[in-house]
Amino acid sequence: MRAALLHECGAPPVVGERAAPVPGDDEILVRVTAASITPLDRLCASGTSYFGAPATPYVPGVQGVGVRDDGTAVWFPTGAGMRPGDGSMAEHAAVRAADTVELPTGVDHRLVAALGLSAVAAQMALTWRGELRPGERVLVLGAGGVVGQAAVQLALLAGADRVVAAARSGRSQRRAARAGAAVVVPLEENAEVAWLAARLRAAADGPVDLVLDPLFGVPAAAALRTLRPGGRLVNLGDAAGATAPMDSATLRSGSLRVLGYTNNELTPAQRSEALALIAAHAAAGRLTVDYETVRMEDVASAWHRTDRRMVLVP
């Protein structure tokens, strides 16, 4: 079968031939219809992740969408790059049957692949970790990324009264606005915490209850100053910096909560339930994300593109 093969850590995968996988006792064979290139795929393939350097060659792809033998469409995860075995960027994948999630009839496979675990992170960081309640105000940082775009929409679907977004580039700001943000605040390079906090507070038009933060760094420190007493900030990434200049007085004076989130903490049941909800929203036209479809033979050129989510089709 055709597959994207990563032969050397740090280099992009290239298309080649791979023997079709043979399912194990608890696995099924899925004909892959769409597989997204995610930051986790690139991290694992770099050989520098905390999972260690993967054995090469291997087929990357930590998630995908495909069809079972009976014609049922499913989303599935893999351990590619994190443990021995191939992933979703091939014509077929052998996956644990218990990990698959059946998809609604007619849903766009490419859209579900683009959303996938990024949307799961947004949903669970907002609701399970962040305890979002109907009527609350939400600030989404990095709202032009896949997690951020999904978070804006999912917060509104969960009953948020007002969602304010912050994003860096003009393209990202437009994505956040299309997602439904009431106001989009530009994130400027080298902004000071106090200056950015004032911009965010003005845009929020009142105290914020919950901040979803995939950035950390200065944006997180500024967003912390927008929270009401007892407000929550949930961090799920460090795209703007591994450390943040948060001050003790802000934390203490507001009795604020700073919480960490990772998909790795979810049980399989939680992940499946969240993915099923995301797929239902996508099928109903309530949830979307900006992505680009690329052919498998173009995987090498698409591998390092981070301007939007890349979705491979066999």
Side-chain angles (χ1 to χ4, degrees), residues 34-138:
S36 58
I37 302 174
T38 70
L40 180 56
D41 291 312
R42 299 186 187 97
L43 175 62
C44 291
S46 72
T48 63
S49 80
Y50 45 81
F51 299 108
T56 56
Y58 79 99
V59 177
V62 298
Q63 61 180 331
V65 175
V67 180
R68 298 188 314 217
D69 284 344
D70 63 2
T72 301
V74 296
W75 173 90
F76 61 89
T78 85
M82 295 173 278
R83 57 179 183 267
D86 287 339
S88 60
M89 298 183 193
E91 292 181 314
H92 293 88
V95 299
R96 291 187 67 242
D99 289 340
T100 62
V101 178
E102 293 188 9
L103 300 178
T105 301
V107 70
D108 186 336
H109 292 194
R110 296 167 301 169
L111 175 57
V112 174
L115 289 163
L117 291 171
S118 296
V120 168
Q123 171 68 18
M124 298 304 282
L126 285 168
T127 60
W128 177 60
R129 194 72 170 130
E131 301 176 355
L132 175 62
R133 303 174 184 87
E136 289 193 322
R137 294 189 180 193
V138 178

Side-chain angles (χ1 to χ4, degrees), residues 26 73 87 131 172 199 225 265 306:
D26 62 347
E131 301 176 355
S172 293
R199 297 285 301 273
R225 299 187 184 188
E265 191 178 357
T306 58

Side-chain angles (χ1 to χ4, degrees), residues 205-262:
D205 194 27
V208 170
D209 300 283
L210 174 63
V211 174
L212 188 98
D213 168 38
L215 301 181
F216 215 51
V218 167
L224 204 67
R225 299 187 184 188
T226 71
L227 287 169
R228 65 162 172 80
R232 298 92 66 199
L233 181 147
V234 180
N235 173 261
L236 63 166
D238 59 358
T243 61
M246 297 178 178
D247 62 286
S248 174
T250 297
L251 285 171
R252 290 182 291 110
S253 63
S255 295
L256 304 179
R257 285 189 285 160
V258 179
L259 308 164
Y261 173 86
T262 171

Side-chain angles (χ1 to χ4, degrees), residues 20-30 93-98:
V22 178
D25 292 339
D26 62 347
E27 294 180 327
I28 61 171
L29 190 66
V30 173
V95 299
R96 291 187 67 242

Side-chain angles (χ1 to χ4, degrees), residues 18 50 64 67 100 157 170-171 184 191 201 229 293:
R18 188 76 155 172
Y50 45 81
V67 180
T100 62
L157 287 167
R171 175 182 289 181
V184 182
R201 282 195 299 267
T293 303

